[in-house]
Amino acid sequence: MATGLHSVSDAGVLTLRIDRQDRMNALDGPTAAALVDALSAVTPDGDVRVVVLTGTGHAFSTGADIAEMAASTPTSPDDMRRAAEDTMATATALVRAVIDAPVPVIAQVNGVAAGIGASLALASDLVFAAEEASFLLAFTTVALMPDGAGSLLVPAAIGRVRAAAMALLAEPMTAPDAAAAGLINKVLPANELENHVQKIARRLARGPRRALELTKRALTASTLALLDDALEREREGQIELLTAPEFREGIAAVLEHRRPDFERESPQT
């Protein structure tokens, strides 16, 4: 099955580039699965020593493909539950594949990173962004909650109050603000971003492999000790929200280019 993912390996650096420009690099099922497979294939003793994640065109990734989700919306409660469980399994697998990779993962954020796309970038070990890039947790605009460990990764980096503005109000954070807040490492002009990331990647590829692996593991353990709890909370909450009428209204509003009317939909209790 065709996917929107390009993979290039050179001198120990594996570059995974999302390429669905007509959908602003939104992740459909095959592309998400290909990302997980590519990351999971990286082994402690293989040829790949560094992974670079990026997007093609003007976006890093705008998250899950809403159009795909709308087209496959099931009707029975059991089917809705199974679809929601599958969606969350994919989200968890994506962020786990980045965090658990035995080599450093660098996010080269060339444009907007939204939803699970933002989580994917922020789960990386190093994050470099173009000046025009931004980070957006727009889940509540379609009656969902952050997933992909976004409920942990963002507040762990910038604090609860700033994270609440991003998650509750869906306020975007520009790349310069993200760097100032400590959410990402550095902002660069768009025409310098790739060269800078490649320089960092080559430096890491020449480094002591086992020392980098254990350092990454130690940093993850000390800063993301609550990762399992966060992923489980997100899974339970998101499955409830994905099967609720408000979510269907949120998707319909996006596809119809109108403001959602959540007041007419009564949430599940």
Side-chain angles (χ1 to χ4, degrees), residues 55-109:
T56 304
H58 300 294
F60 177 79
S61 173
T62 51
D65 192 329
I66 295 295
E68 181 190 54
M69 296 178 75
S72 62
T73 299
T75 54
S76 75
D78 287 345
D79 286 346
M80 290 173 64
R81 173 82 186 188
R82 280 191 290 270
E85 290 174 345
D86 288 345
T87 296
M88 289 311 300
T90 298
T92 297
L94 277 168
V95 72
R96 276 289 188 195
V98 174
I99 292 174
D100 293 343
V103 301
V105 178
I106 305 173
Q108 179 181 310
V109 185

Side-chain angles (χ1 to χ4, degrees), residues 33-53:
L35 260 175
V36 172
D37 289 345
L39 288 163
S40 300
V42 177
T43 61
D45 56 355
D47 293 335
V48 175
R49 301 174 69 94
V50 184
V51 175
V52 175
L53 300 178

